[in-house]
Amino acid sequence: MTHELKQPWWQHAVGYQLYPRSFRDADGDGIGDIAGIMEKLPYLKALGVDFIWLNPIYLSPNVDNGYDISDFQKIQPEYGTMAEFKALLDKCHELGLKLILDLVINHTSDQHPWFLEAKKGKDNPYRDYYHWQPATSEKQPPNDWQSFFGGSTWTYDENSGESYFHVFAPQQPDLNWRNGQLRQAIYQMIEWWLALGIDGFRLDAISHLQKEPWDFKITDNPWAPFMNVSGIEAYMTDLQGLFRKYHVMTVGEASGVSSRQAVSWTDDDGYLDMIFELEHNVREGEPGSERINVLGFKKVLARWQKHLENAGWNALYVENHDNPRINSVLGNETVKSAQAIAVAYMLLKGTPFIYQGQELGMTNYPFATIAEVDAKDSHNHYRLLLESGVSPEEALRLTTHWTRDHARTPMQWNDSPNSGFTSGTPWLAVNPNYPQLNVEAEMADEGSVLRFYQKLIGFRKAEGTFVTGGFDLVAAGDPDIFAYLRQGQEKAFLVVANLSAKKRILTIPKRYLAQETAATYVFGNLASDATAGLLTKKLTLAPYDAAVYELAMN
Ligand code: TEU
């Protein structure tokens, strides 16, 4: 494969992850929709992002909010129509925005016609599109593998006396990628979307396509039997061929692909342009009150930076639809902490993604009852906790502390009822802090998180060093400060972020101080009366201070 086949635009780009269900509801049914996205494109343009990744918008019974697809080529009616989708794609292109879709090909819904057929019996031509195994005596699962959403990976089917396999919910049966006919059907579907002119895909749970033999024995990692298992290479190579044919951008959700392996997954000959690693959310503390450990967070990120420094490419993110709000679990829910986190990750090497609401500094939702929770996996964990004898109060705390629903509450547009998200009843409650924390208020406030993101995106884009420059971690052992050097041929920047609520002093290594007076403060959130211009041997940082210094190069 030659270099020209790779699309370079995404290396300079900033992406925006848009969760359609919670973005903007134009028709008042309480659920976000395509018309709502259309309405808000100028906002995304003003923010300065280059492309949008839409979470699934396909036909789905919604057991897992669209990640259980019953027809890959139909739009979920609550979101709109195919005509509306095409209009959205055109509008994006007109505005100079690219649009990428979620590609969910590890599994389907149990309501997908393929699975409905497969369930009919052992001789059905679609049977082998999925994984079936005879249940052992007394309907016991064929092995002891556990699903990501809790419970066995196997669900028993009375009709045939066999069990089918699912790494997520029972309503999300895994596709059998060993079946060539299934692969062809998936490839056709992908080409259909690519021919429509979309700009790429985010590949859901892509590292799980291949499974170990069913008698594989789990030792330490419970997910090992379906994480980047040998044999996946052939499928990924097929996919790569399709993506290259249409010159689109791809980002894979590839848990289990190590930072070393990521090089060959994402270099010039790689299957994909970049991948999301799932390692940097290193948690500390007791279940129910966990936070992200700064040292763990930065060490993981630094390792990925180093391993992909010369070949391969990183997808950078701190939030998505599966995790709590970063300003709550790493920050202290202030403007400053949201800003410091932004600086810390957006100036790394790679393509930064911003998850909707992150640019406002949105925070976790104060769940008071389990009824307020939508996510099925959280309900599942709650039930399992109750069954194990935990009290309802404790189960609620343990379940909601890290639930995915924190990220899924509606986008906060203004201070009108339900934050301007809907004129109806929102499918998930709006965070009560919306009267203060919303787009309209933050646009009008020069010191807001939103305006900071806008400037930071502009700053990043104006400096090629952040795209191509090398990376070196500074003060590697510091438990609170994430500091690193980005150095290119012509320029060098020292990025410093105090990711703690404590005042901290950072000792700047001598080599960066060779020309002390020549270091210039070029970006950050330091109080204006601070001695922002000076990079001194002992740099004092207030809680969640973040600063970028341009260093004079010899
Ligand atoms: O998440 C998948 C996911 O998080 C796993 O693939 C991951 O490998 C595992 O949790 C390891 O820690 C994606 C979507 O982002 C999520 O919303 C869906 O529920 C899920 O796939 C199923 O489609």
Side-chain angles (χ1 to χ4, degrees), residues 53 55 64 67-68 102 104 107 148-149 168 172 202 204-208 223 227 253-256 278 320-322 404 408:
W53 149 31
N55 284 97
D64 187 20
Y67 282 99
D68 46 322
D102 222 305
V104 189
H107 47 272
F148 288 122
F149 288 177
F168 297 100
Q172 293 167 295
R202 175 264 189 185
D204 183 66
I206 198 65
S207 48
H208 308 321
W223 321 127
M227 287 280 218
E253 186 201 31
S255 60
L278 283 93
N320 60 29
H321 63 295
D322 288 332
R404 318 199 269 182
R408 299 178 178 190

